[in-house]
Amino acid sequence: MKLHDTGVYLINGVPQTSAPAGVTEADAKKGTIAYGILKAHNTGDSMQDLRMKFDSMTSHDITYVGIIQTARASGMTEFPLPYVMTNCHNSLCAVGGTINEDDHQFALSAAHKYGGIYVPPNMAVIHSYNREMMSGCGRMILGSDSHTRYGALGTMAVGEGGGELAKQLVGRTYDMSYPGVVAIYLTGKPAPGVGPHDVALALVAATYANGYVKNKVMEFVGPGVANLSADYRNGIDVMTTETTCWSSIWQTDDTTKEYFVQHGRPEAYKELKPADVAYYDGCIELDLSTVECMIALPMHPSYAYPIRELKANAKEILQAAQDQANRQLGGKVEMDLVGKICDDGRIYVDQGVVAGCSGGTYENICAVADIIKGKSCGNGEFKFSVYPDSMPTYLELVKNGAVADIVSAGGIFRECFCGPCFGAGDTPANGEFSIRHTTRNFPNREGSKPGEGQISAVALMDARSIAATAANGGYLTAASELTDVEYTVPDYHFEQGVYDKRVYNGWGHPEPDYALKFGPNIKDWPEQPALTDDLLVKIVSYITDPVTTTDELIPSGETSSFRSNPLRLAEFTLSRKDPAYVPNAKAVKALDEQRKAGELPAEVARVYDDLKKLGYAPDAANTNIGSAIFANKPGDGSAREQAASCQRVLGGAANFACEYATKRYRSNCINWGMLPFLVENPGALDNGDYVYLPGVRKALLEAADELDAVAVKPDGGLVKFTVKLGAMTDAERRILADGCLINYYKNN
């Protein structure tokens, strides 16, 4: 794999480092596939400052209630574009009594009232339904799930927080600067046994840490594309999220065309390819024939190695991974990976799972069946489960015998459910090691609770190598090691009637008088204050990890049951990373309640007295008091807006960071009224410090490059420093000034 250090021209399909005579870089940038799609969806006058509207949107049952509640509060009366609501995240969680199904009934009633599309529980995982029924060449889809990626089907898809979807529901636009575009130039053909997850993990390992494609578009081109099936392309594409890219797009061909014909939508196809000359801000050249069977060790998809290399250096690599994991776990519990090495040098795995939008596809599961047919998983500790990605896939696997082959070998065949990807299904026992073809292996994504002494480990692998391991009784085995497997890939026949009989499609037919159905756990968003002229915040959590994920900011798993109850969900904020955060944030919120009641708390009065030494004269009546966190690089991972909204519900007013890991999280902070400050000297801050920001509202609205800040130490020490807010649109500045997106719409 080669990552070019400079921009690259694709000239008649071949990468070149210089432009042909008479061609400018600016003109050649218009030759990418991405440019054409973005231009078609841009409603603004400038291609540098995009103002986009999408063709459709999608959410699952962790996010749609909050989005609809936000849009309702902002004046929405009907869905202005097709909005798909799937029920694939909270369909099996029993925590909380009736509240999961209560959310599903709310969504069905919203689909009736506003004209939406409702996919019942266990019918399909979110991205599979959208691939099958909503994708189309040249389209754009916005989803409130970070793995909203349909680029392999010619569709630019973007995963964002719920606030961005709410904007579309009230007729506003998705605003951003024109992104960089990086070519992924594929050649060659994958070796037998090498699956899409292997290619994806190799790409993630090469791009995540160095930020090569961060907030950019990955555009897959080159002769190697033709050597990949549609399922294979989808499997690679969905994992582009883990590189921190913004979106993805692939050149299309007869394989893409056949996919749409197969799914009864031939009109959705059109050829997409770069112009004869196209300029890319970077280029990755990847010979698919060189990719090996991979494993991404805990606790990130980028910690990837060839399985061959891991087996040859098991003690060294597992010790390093174990040490790294335990540093991230902060001493709460100890992960033991080295203990999985047997006396004979083999590595033992306790569980294998193939699931979701990346693992549960038709061809992956057919390959699993080919590998495990006539074998046995054994009756020891090893467990093996397979979750198909949609009921049409499930039906075809029943018809062709794949389900029978897997079950006959001791595997468990389950529902269409995303749970194993975020910690709500097949949680291993304490100390166990699980290999999974899912999208993530972040801390606690398998469902363990380090704060309660529970820890298990998850590594990511392709379905083929997981099946090979299952056939070998749980001893780690790469599919490329097998020499007696014939991969059959039976023809796929999509049965749309499965959806026609169960999915409610109200698009274009809203029923305004239809009553929304509220369960007892569905609550409105609490009111949020507008930004005052000055601001005082207290740092209540100080996180020095290189990266802080959204899973750490608000854990997944059983907490998902409370996603429709902002106050109850907020109780879990940073619970697995910093259990003191919630009580400390609440204490600061109580101080502001005292202030608003006309009483100046003694703790705040002391801070104001210290500030007077520098000549400041804080006006308590016009200075909100809020909490804040410092983190080096927060926001990697999920698009879930709750990572920001939970902070806000607890009185959060700002974050301080050296950088933000993703646009998604930063946008969520803005939409929830939390100032996303950037600091160059984090040493000026510490946990327990107050930070005073005089004139913050004026500086925000006037787009000041820097803002003054003063850290007031617990001992009365004072440290002056500056902060920045980074690039923002005028609307984003107004949202922050108004206090949150809901307030902004009420005021405008």
Side-chain angles (χ1 to χ4, degrees):
M1 192 182 309
K2 177 183 179 182
L3 279 64
H4 286 258
D5 295 330
T6 61
V8 166
Y9 290 87
L10 200 65
I11 303 174
N12 295 318
V14 180
Q16 305 285 336
T17 55
S18 58
V23 176
T24 66
E25 179 182 308
D27 285 339
K29 281 189 173 185
K30 299 176 183 178
T32 65
I33 303 171
Y35 182 90
I37 297 176
L38 293 172
K39 183 178 181 181
H41 291 81
N42 182 29
T43 65
D45 298 328
S46 167
M47 281 298 291
Q48 296 308 308
D49 298 304
L50 300 173
R51 304 289 181 264
M52 290 184 289
K53 289 195 173 183
F54 290 78
D55 296 294
S56 66
M57 300 198 310
T58 189
S59 297
H60 49 59
D61 46 350
I62 284 180
T63 54
Y64 57 56
V65 173
I67 292 165
I68 293 170
Q69 291 285 69
T70 300
R72 285 180 63 236
S74 304
M76 178 195 69
T77 57
E78 66 179 65
F79 294 156
L81 74 170
Y83 186 18
V84 175
M85 293 170 282
T86 66
N87 297 278
C88 51
H89 278 57
N90 282 343
S91 49
L92 292 184
C93 309
V95 176
T98 70
I99 61 180
N100 291 327
E101 189 61 17
D102 291 345
D103 284 357
H104 302 160
Q105 292 305 304
F106 173 89
L108 178 57
S109 67
H112 278 278
K113 185 177 184 67
Y114 301 119
I117 302 168
Y118 174 82
V119 182
N122 306 124
M123 284 296 293
V125 303
I126 178 171
H127 304 309
S128 296
Y129 183 86
N130 280 276
R131 289 172 189 153
E132 293 167 343
M133 302 300 294
M134 305 302 293
S135 62
C137 298
R139 295 182 187 174
M140 290 191 73
I141 295 178
L142 182 65
S144 55
D145 183 272
S146 52
H147 291 96
T148 308
R149 289 285 192 271
Y150 318 124
L153 299 173
T155 306
M156 285 188 69
V158 180
E160 275 285 1
E164 294 301 322
L165 278 76
K167 288 178 183 177
Q168 297 282 308
L169 290 178
V170 294
R172 304 300 176 103
T173 57
Y174 180 95
D175 303 338
M176 64 177 290
S177 298
Y178 187 83
V181 183
V182 175
I184 315 300
Y185 189 78
L186 302 180
T187 59
K189 181 178 181 179
V194 173
H197 224 36
D198 298 315
V199 178
L201 293 176
L203 279 168
V204 173
T207 58
Y208 173 77
N210 58 24
Y212 191 79
V213 295
K214 181 179 177 180
N215 292 331
K216 298 176 182 176
V217 178
M218 296 176 74
E219 186 159 308
F220 289 78
V221 295
V225 173
N227 296 325
L228 305 176
S229 69
D231 254 13
Y232 205 111
R233 298 176 195 182
N234 285 330
I236 297 171
D237 186 66
V238 73
M239 286 296 290
T240 58
T241 296
E242 301 310 318
T243 67
T244 69
C245 79
W246 175 72
S247 187
S248 64
I249 192 67
W250 292 55
Q251 66 186 48
T252 62
D253 54 18
D254 286 346
T255 298
T256 323
K257 182 177 182 179
E258 175 57 28
Y259 179 92
F260 288 116
V261 170
Q262 191 180 62
H263 287 79
R265 300 190 292 119
E267 74 286 350
Y269 175 76
K270 68 178 179 181
E271 185 182 35
L272 299 176
K273 64 179 182 179
D276 291 343
V277 179
Y279 178 81
Y280 295 89
D281 300 281
C283 179
I284 299 172
E285 294 189 53
L286 174 58
D287 180 352
L288 294 165
S289 68
T290 65
V291 177
E292 299 184 58
C293 293
M294 303 289 289
I295 181 169
L297 294 173
M299 300 191 295
H300 198 276
S302 64
Y303 301 159
Y305 297 85
I307 295 175
R308 169 194 54 79
E309 182 180 340
L310 172 62
K311 293 176 71 172
N313 304 278
K315 178 67 167 64
E316 177 186 351
I317 293 175
L318 289 181
Q319 183 68 59
Q322 176 178 303
D323 292 344
Q324 180 172 257
N326 287 328
R327 284 194 298 271
Q328 286 184 246
L329 291 167
K332 296 172 187 170
V333 68
E334 293 289 318
M335 181 181 292
D336 179 13
L337 294 175
V338 175
K340 297 301 176 181
I341 303 174
C342 304
D343 291 341
D344 59 6
R346 293 186 295 175
I347 300 170
Y348 186 74
V349 176
D350 301 285
Q351 181 193 63
V353 175
V354 175
C357 57
S358 63
T361 62
Y362 177 74
E363 288 185 9
N364 281 342
I365 297 177
C366 285
V368 167
D370 288 335
I371 291 169
I372 207 167
K373 182 177 182 179
K375 308 279 197 316
S376 171
C377 299
N379 57 4
E381 293 183 3
F382 182 80
K383 291 84 64 176
F384 182 44
S385 300
V386 176
Y387 297 71
D389 66 346
S390 73
M391 286 305 288
T393 296
Y394 198 158
L395 177 61
E396 192 67 8
L397 293 166
V398 169
K399 289 180 177 179
N400 70 24
V403 174
D405 291 336
I406 292 169
V407 173
S408 296
I412 304 298
F413 212 85
R414 298 191 184 273
E415 299 86 348
C416 311
F417 180 49
C418 296
C421 189
F422 68 96
D426 273 318
T427 302
N430 183 57
E432 287 194 338
F433 186 30
S434 175
I435 52 175
R436 302 186 170 201
H437 191 152
T438 56
T439 54
R440 287 201 171 121
N441 61 336
F442 288 176
N444 325 132
R445 273 267 170 167
E446 78 295 341
S448 63
K449 298 180 180 180
E452 298 179 14
Q454 306 167 23
I455 187 64
S456 55
V458 166
L460 300 184
M461 284 170 47
D462 187 81
R464 292 150 188 80
S465 293
I466 295 173
T469 301
N472 197 17
Y475 293 99
L476 188 68
T477 306
S480 56
E481 298 176 44
L482 307 179
T483 58
D484 59 347
V485 178
E486 180 183 355
Y487 294 102
T488 58
V489 194
D491 289 341
Y492 178 66
H493 305 92
F494 176 70
E495 177 52 69
Q496 186 173 324
V498 175
Y499 289 148
D500 293 341
K501 293 179 179 70
R502 288 291 297 127
V503 173
Y504 174 75
N505 189 339
W507 165 239
H509 305 284
E511 304 169 49
D513 296 331
Y514 201 98
L516 289 177
K517 191 168 184 178
F518 289 89
N521 190 59
I522 298 176
K523 306 295 183 182
D524 290 334
W525 290 107
E527 291 188 8
Q528 301 300 332
L531 180 63
T532 45
D533 291 343
D534 305 334
L535 180 65
L536 182 70
V537 296
K538 185 176 184 180
I539 306 294
V540 294
S541 187
Y542 193 92
I543 303 170
T544 59
D545 293 350
V547 178
T548 302
T549 69
T550 48
D551 279 56
E552 292 170 307
L553 290 164
I554 181 65
S556 57
E558 83 282 3
T559 61
S560 300
S561 294
F562 305 111
R563 298 290 169 149
S564 303
N565 188 331
L567 293 172
R568 193 168 183 188
L569 179 64
E571 295 289 335
F572 294 92
T573 312
L574 279 169
S575 58
R576 294 177 186 170
K577 186 67 183 174
D578 182 0
Y581 171 79
V582 170
N584 288 341
K586 285 183 174 180
V588 176
K589 187 175 176 65
L591 296 177
D592 197 49
E593 294 299 325
Q594 285 183 260
R595 177 196 68 83
K596 287 188 289 187
E599 177 186 349
L600 186 63
E603 181 177 339
V604 177
R606 190 269 302 166
V607 171
Y608 284 175
D609 287 341
D610 291 333
L611 287 168
K612 290 174 184 177
K613 299 173 187 175
L614 292 179
Y616 294 105
D619 176 9
N622 205 22
T623 305
N624 286 346
I625 304 169
S627 58
I629 68 169
F630 169 82
N632 278 317
K633 188 178 178 181
D636 183 33
S638 175
R640 66 179 67 129
E641 64 177 297
Q642 293 90 350
S645 66
C646 285
Q647 291 176 257
R648 185 63 166 156
V649 165
L650 292 170
N655 282 339
F656 296 88
C658 297
E659 66 174 301
Y660 289 85
T662 60
K663 175 193 176 300
R664 296 187 298 272
Y665 175 66
R666 183 174 181 271
S667 293
N668 287 337
C669 291
I670 293 170
N671 286 331
W672 282 104
M674 291 201 305
L675 295 154
F677 289 124
L678 293 165
V679 293
E680 294 183 354
N681 55 335
L685 297 171
D686 206 348
N687 205 23
D689 288 355
Y690 276 93
V691 179
Y692 180 59
L693 297 131
V696 63
R697 183 182 177 91
K698 182 174 185 290
L700 167 71
L701 292 174
E702 294 180 355
D705 291 335
E706 292 187 340
L707 295 81
D708 292 330
V710 183
V712 182
K713 306 293 180 179
D715 63 1
L718 300 166
V719 178
K720 296 183 72 172
F721 63 105
T722 59
V723 295
K724 296 181 179 180
L725 283 169
M728 288 187 188
T729 66
D730 290 341
E732 287 175 327
R733 294 180 183 280
R734 192 72 245 178
I735 290 167
L736 285 167
D738 287 348
C740 66
L741 186 65
I742 295 174
N743 293 355
Y744 171 73
Y745 286 136
K746 287 179 179 177
N747 297 337
N748 297 272

